[in-house]
Amino acid sequence: MFPTIAWNLISLELLMTAVLVSLMVIDMFTPKESSKNWLGPLSIISLFGLIGFWLTQRNLTGSTFGGMFVMDSLAWFFKGFFLLTMVFVFPMTEKFFQSMGKRLSIFNLLLWLALIGMCLVASSADFLVLFISIEILTISLYVMTAYLKSDKLSIEAGMKYLILGALSSGFFLYGISFLYGATHSTRFDVIQGYVSTHAMTPMMVLALVMVFSAVGFKIAAVPFHMWVPDVYQGAPTPVTALLSVGSKAAGFVMLIRLFFGIFAGWHAELSLLLAGLSAITMTYGNLVAMFQTNIKRLLGYSSISHAGYLLMGAAAGTALGAAGINFYLFGYLFTNLAAFLVIVLFSIAVKSDEIKDYAGLSKRSGLLAGTLLLALVSLAGLPPLAGFFGKFTLLMAVVQSGFVWLALIAAVNIVISVYYYLMVVKKIYVDPSNNTSPIAVCLPMRLLLAFAMIAIVAIGIFQGPFLDAALTAVNGMRF
């Protein structure tokens, strides 16, 4: 007999699919010569409706599809995270492509496909379902990265992301095959039971290395980071924003389930390796970021360094470490998306992503300059903003777990990052500009920028409720 399917557990994903299909039908019947894009506004309206529905699922828990799909506090937390990410990405996309005079119906549909993939990753409780979910997300990102067909940097970025992503998927499948060979299952609960009663074997080590290669690719950890700078620079800026926040967060959902759930029984053997990867990743990202002249490449290497900070939570292996990852990502969402929103608006006006062209931005738009200042200072980890308390929580977690040396390396890296972030701030507020014409910002973009700035400050000052929510997400995790 087939197991009974609990449709309420997958109701959010079903609604997203219904929205995607409805938008496809609307696009089919919209005249191609029409310059009016209905899919963007409809997508934003649908998104707020889905956020309202997501709020009603706060206490929804359980598993379905034979234990392959799970709804727990961690899945609920990250589904809200992904929906909130799209609140920024959809308007950012509208503004970006509007300036190019292009229809973006297919692009909007790909964004919905990516959102469905990210939410499925959060609820995956079986490695095969996880693989399919990752591919739904990644394939849509491949297409969106190379979407600017007339831009050679976009095509190059798409090809690099495709090739390295396919290699990562291959390693992931090999890892799954070894896991299945050892445990005779791909379900998380079965493998977790195996880990709790067996010592680590060479086959399982090989499986873990291959599975982590896919996770490392998603979170942009060294040595799986090679795609980041070129893809961040060449992809359309809204895609870069989605990669830096949504795709990275999807990778950390996987990492939390792996090292705080499925393989938690072997954490003592893995913690030193994770700590080493954390130190290498943050150091490499910060050192190379110092020499960048393109702001998207700078944020690309910055993203690598932040993956290193986040890996500290995995190395700690405690509830505080996992909650620190969630809390850090939540602050990172507003901080990074605020920065990319400024980049979109600035590039539309100036047609450049070079840091030197940001000189004198404060004279041209106080709002854009102020938002970018707040975002960069938060990314640097200065108090009392969200980035400071995110780093502080992770540092506290690794110190409590005995990795004092890792905390010291992180402290040095934070100082290095302050240097290159403040170099951009110097360009904005100190260096003179040849062009003093003001940059106009429309009301919807002003509201988004204001929302991001308020969130960056609020999460830093009133961090207690947000940290409690991050901790609740970990404590209620099933796998």
Side-chain angles (χ1 to χ4, degrees):
M1 292 180 62
F2 291 103
T4 303
I5 298 173
W7 294 106
N8 62 323
L9 297 180
I10 61 167
S11 52
L12 184 63
E13 287 76 12
L14 289 175
L15 281 175
M16 289 179 185
T17 306
V19 171
L20 174 60
V21 173
S22 300
L23 293 175
M24 288 176 65
V25 172
I26 292 170
D27 185 54
M28 287 171 59
F29 289 97
T30 301
K32 298 304 175 186
E33 62 274 9
S34 172
S35 61
K36 183 66 176 177
N37 173 46
W38 292 103
L39 267 61
L42 289 173
S43 292
I44 296 169
I45 293 169
S46 301
L47 198 60
F48 282 104
L50 286 169
I51 290 173
F53 182 77
W54 165 79
L55 289 170
T56 67
Q57 296 189 313
R58 178 67 184 87
N59 298 314
L60 187 63
T61 59
S63 61
T64 188
F65 288 104
M68 295 190 294
F69 183 97
V70 66
M71 187 64 186
D72 57 11
S73 58
L74 187 72
W76 184 83
F77 178 88
F78 274 99
K79 287 177 185 182
F81 181 100
F82 298 137
L83 287 166
L84 194 54
T85 299
M86 287 302 185
V87 168
F88 285 86
V89 173
F90 272 111
M92 197 186 300
T93 301
E94 285 288 305
K95 192 68 177 177
F96 182 82
F97 283 99
Q98 187 182 63
S99 69
M100 306 177 80
K102 293 186 177 182
R103 281 175 59 91
L104 51 126
S105 55
I106 296 176
F107 200 94
N108 276 312
L109 298 176
L110 289 168
L111 285 175
W112 278 104
L113 195 61
L115 176 59
I116 292 169
M118 288 187 291
C119 289
L120 287 173
V121 167
S123 281
S124 295
D126 182 281
F127 274 104
L128 291 179
V129 175
L130 179 60
F131 174 75
I132 294 169
S133 304
I134 292 170
E135 290 306 297
I136 291 172
L137 167 61
T138 309
I139 289 172
S140 61
L141 288 171
Y142 293 153
V143 180
M144 288 189 287
T145 300
Y147 198 79
L148 302 179
K149 294 178 285 187
S150 59
D151 186 341
K152 64 179 182 180
L153 288 178
S154 180
I155 299 298
E156 179 186 355
M159 288 300 297
K160 286 183 178 178
Y161 192 46
L162 172 63
I163 292 168
L164 292 173
L167 186 63
S168 166
S169 297
F171 278 123
F172 191 54
L173 282 175
Y174 270 117
I176 293 172
S177 69
F178 282 116
L179 285 174
Y180 183 81
T183 65
H184 308 293
S185 178
T186 56
R187 277 175 46 178
F188 290 177
D189 55 346
V190 176
I191 297 173
Q192 188 175 26
Y194 176 91
V195 169
S196 64
T197 57
H198 291 75
M200 189 181 290
T201 63
M203 179 182 286
M204 292 299 281
V205 171
L206 186 59
L208 267 171
V209 169
M210 290 184 171
V211 168
F212 183 76
S213 69
V215 179
F217 177 82
K218 279 287 168 211
I219 66 176
V222 174
F224 312 104
H225 66 283
M226 294 84 71
W227 60 276
V228 172
D230 291 331
V231 172
Y232 272 48
Q233 181 181 2
T237 305
V239 182
T240 307
L242 182 58
L243 283 166
S244 72
V245 176
S247 181
K248 183 184 287 290
F252 275 101
V253 176
M254 296 160 57
L255 184 137
I256 290 171
R257 291 211 187 273
L258 285 175
F259 295 108
F260 294 90
I262 308 166
F263 299 106
W266 293 342
H267 190 271
E269 292 88 343
L270 298 169
S271 59
L272 188 58
L273 176 62
L274 290 169
L277 283 173
S278 171
I280 294 168
T281 300
M282 70 175 79
T283 304
Y284 173 85
N286 282 318
L287 289 178
V288 182
M290 294 171 63
F291 304 100
Q292 300 309 306
T293 58
N294 181 286
I295 196 161
K296 288 170 71 177
R297 287 184 76 88
L298 182 143
L299 289 178
Y301 284 107
S302 166
S303 177
I304 294 171
S305 71
H306 287 285
Y309 298 135
L310 285 158
L311 280 170
M312 290 195 298
T318 59
L320 180 61
I325 292 174
N326 292 345
F327 179 76
Y328 193 103
L329 284 171
F330 194 65
Y332 186 74
L333 182 159
F334 295 103
T335 302
N336 232 34
L337 291 178
F340 277 110
L341 189 55
V342 172
I343 291 170
V344 166
L345 296 171
F346 183 82
S347 65
I348 290 171
V350 181
K351 311 299 180 189
S352 173
D353 290 320
E354 295 299 307
I355 295 173
K356 62 182 176 62
D357 293 320
Y358 280 76
L361 176 61
S362 61
K363 304 291 192 300
R364 304 182 66 184
S365 174
L367 177 62
L368 294 183
T371 304
L372 193 54
L373 167 66
L374 200 65
L376 293 174
V377 169
S378 181
L379 285 172
L382 299 182
L385 304 177
F388 169 77
F389 285 100
K391 287 183 173 67
F392 180 79
T393 305
L394 291 171
L395 287 170
M396 189 164 55
V398 292
V399 169
Q400 288 182 359
S401 297
F403 290 106
V404 178
W405 61 269
L406 181 58
L408 292 173
I409 291 173
V412 172
N413 273 280
I414 290 169
V415 174
I416 295 172
S417 71
V418 169
Y419 167 77
Y420 64 79
Y421 288 128
L422 290 185
M423 287 301 293
V424 180
V425 173
K426 175 180 173 291
K427 284 284 181 187
I428 295 170
Y429 282 95
V430 178
D431 291 2
S433 172
N434 295 327
N435 189 346
T436 57
S437 59
I439 298 174
V441 181
C442 63
L443 180 60
M445 294 298 105
R446 285 176 176 271
L447 293 175
L448 267 184
L449 290 170
F451 177 44
M453 286 193 289
I454 291 169
I456 291 169
V457 176
I459 294 170
I461 295 176
F462 307 106
Q463 70 274 17
F466 301 102
L467 188 56
D468 288 342
L471 194 58
T472 300
V474 174
N475 290 334
M477 182 176 66
R478 291 171 68 95
F479 308 111

